Amino acid sequence: MKLVFNLPHVLELKAIMQPWEPEVTGADQTRMARCADEWGYDMIAVPEHIVIPAEHVELSGPHYFQSTIAQAYLAGATQRIMLNSCVTVLPLHQPIVLAKALATADWLSGGRMMVTFGVGWLQREFEALGVPFGERGRIADEYLAAIVELWTSDSPAFSGRYVSFSDIAFEPKPVRKPHLPIWIGGDADAALRRAARFGSGWWGFLTPPEQIAERVDFIKSQPGYDGRPFDVMHGLGSRRVGEGHVKRRDPDARPGRSAQEIVDRLNWLGEQGVTVSSVPPPKVRGIEEYLDHAQWVIEEIKPQLA
């Protein structure tokens, strides 16, 4: 089981944020990322929204990074840890520019970039950027195909409704082959079919843990899945956040459980097909206590995971 380090203040989500987190600065995050890298965490993942409509700020908060820029910065501040997003809202990006940004950061970091693509859910965010919300799934599928073409072909060419190119060169290519890992975020059948076609991982947010195995079977039954290695992410605190970022009460997602409870839960998730998870901290009073808990997870929990 691989573990994600949850970097505080990459969002201000009411359902999960602790009171001290808005005071965490970029310098603090840099130090914390270096600790996670040194201790042996496997991944840091960066959320993304470009804008938040005013009516959603109460639940979602206004504070989000552009995921690729944040990932690239954190890659430069660390040595070995993988940098992912959760999620990059693919239809809101020009795909050639995004492919270049991710490939650049991957090449400079020695192959430590990943990306989790989602189609988005905030309609007014799409309206602000002039992207047709009702076409976001079709846009995402076309952009994904175009990005993979840019990353893998020596003579990239693509002709689609939303993006076309030919007679171009595109380098650097990603370090990993055939390209840097692509995960797909989302819970709908369309997202899972997208993961089967393009992905090496799936990050579900609303799927109950008891249904994960069934949904992974669905992914691997699709004609687009070719037997490639496939990761499944489900954090222990995922079910505290519901649709639209509302706060949910879920006894299985509560923070602050004993070491044995955490180990048992993570190993049970592994039996459902989960390969990557995260452990939310209990209520703490600041950065140092947060880091103490994160180090405890690596020293006490990780060695007991299957």
Side-chain angles (χ1 to χ4, degrees):
M1 180 78 70
K2 291 173 277 191
L3 291 178
V4 177
F5 177 77
N6 293 320
L7 194 64
H9 204 204
V10 291
L11 41 64
E12 296 175 358
L13 200 60
K14 190 174 182 179
I16 58 174
M17 184 179 64
Q18 298 200 34
W20 53 271
E21 289 189 39
E23 304 303 318
V24 173
T25 67
D28 295 327
Q29 290 174 332
T30 303
R31 179 169 72 90
M32 297 175 85
R34 287 172 175 156
C35 287
D37 187 37
E38 177 184 344
W39 293 336
Y41 276 89
D42 299 285
M43 185 188 304
I44 294 171
V46 182
E48 175 182 271
H49 280 289
I50 309 302
V51 296
I52 297 293
E55 63 270 21
H56 284 279
V57 170
E58 174 64 20
L59 288 176
S60 299
H63 178 90
Y64 291 86
F65 296 141
Q66 201 281 353
S67 57
T68 306
I69 292 174
Q71 289 173 250
Y73 172 82
L74 292 168
T78 54
Q79 296 294 320
R80 47 154 295 279
I81 199 166
M82 296 294 294
L83 289 309
N84 199 351
S85 61
C86 64
V87 301
T88 299
V89 188
L90 180 56
L92 300 182
H93 294 272
Q94 207 289 333
I96 303 173
V97 176
L98 181 58
K100 174 64 76 170
L102 285 164
T104 298
D106 190 66
W107 192 86
L108 288 169
S109 66
R112 290 193 292 124
M113 293 291 282
M114 303 173 58
V115 64
T116 303
F117 285 133
V119 301
W121 60 276
L122 273 174
Q123 183 168 348
R124 287 228 299 116
E125 183 178 24
F126 280 69
E127 292 170 357
L129 277 81
V131 177
F133 182 75
E135 300 175 34
R136 66 194 188 282
R138 293 189 294 275
I139 292 171
D141 286 337
E142 190 170 296
Y143 282 7
L144 268 164
I147 288 170
V148 169
E149 173 70 7
L150 290 164
W151 283 346
T152 59
S153 175
D154 292 333
S155 301
F158 190 87
S159 178
R161 177 178 177 182
Y162 304 102
V163 58
S164 297
F165 49 81
S166 61
D167 302 317
I168 61 171
F170 182 96
E171 290 191 18
K173 304 293 188 187
V175 173
R176 291 193 179 193
K177 303 303 176 189
H179 50 72
L180 60 88
I182 295 172
W183 289 6
I184 301 298
D187 301 270
D189 286 356
L192 274 60
R193 286 191 290 268
R194 195 169 290 120
R197 180 181 174 191
F198 294 106
S200 59
W202 168 52
W203 194 322
F205 298 97
L206 302 176
T207 299
E210 296 78 12
Q211 297 177 15
I212 288 174
E214 174 188 336
R215 302 302 274 161
V216 173
D217 287 344
F218 177 83
I219 292 170
K220 293 184 176 181
S221 72
Q222 299 303 301
Y225 179 69
D226 58 5
R228 75 191 83 95
F230 197 86
D231 279 310
V232 177
M233 167 65 191
H234 180 86
L236 288 188
S238 295
R239 297 283 290 166
R240 292 190 291 160
V241 183
E243 191 169 1
H245 289 165
V246 299
K247 184 176 183 178
R248 295 181 72 255
R249 293 191 179 276
D250 185 337
D252 289 326
R254 71 187 189 280
R257 289 181 287 184
S258 70
Q260 192 58 56
E261 288 176 315
I262 294 170
V263 169
D264 289 347
R265 185 65 176 175
L266 287 172
N267 283 332
W268 178 82
L269 286 171
E271 294 170 359
Q272 313 313 305
V274 174
T275 61
V276 187
S277 192
S278 61
V279 179
K283 290 183 179 180
V284 296
R285 292 172 292 185
I287 291 172
E288 300 311 318
E289 289 186 8
Y290 190 95
L291 288 174
D292 286 345
H293 179 267
Q295 189 170 11
W296 174 80
V297 169
I298 289 296
E299 294 176 351
E300 300 295 330
I301 303 297
K302 192 171 186 180
Q304 301 184 63
L305 300 181

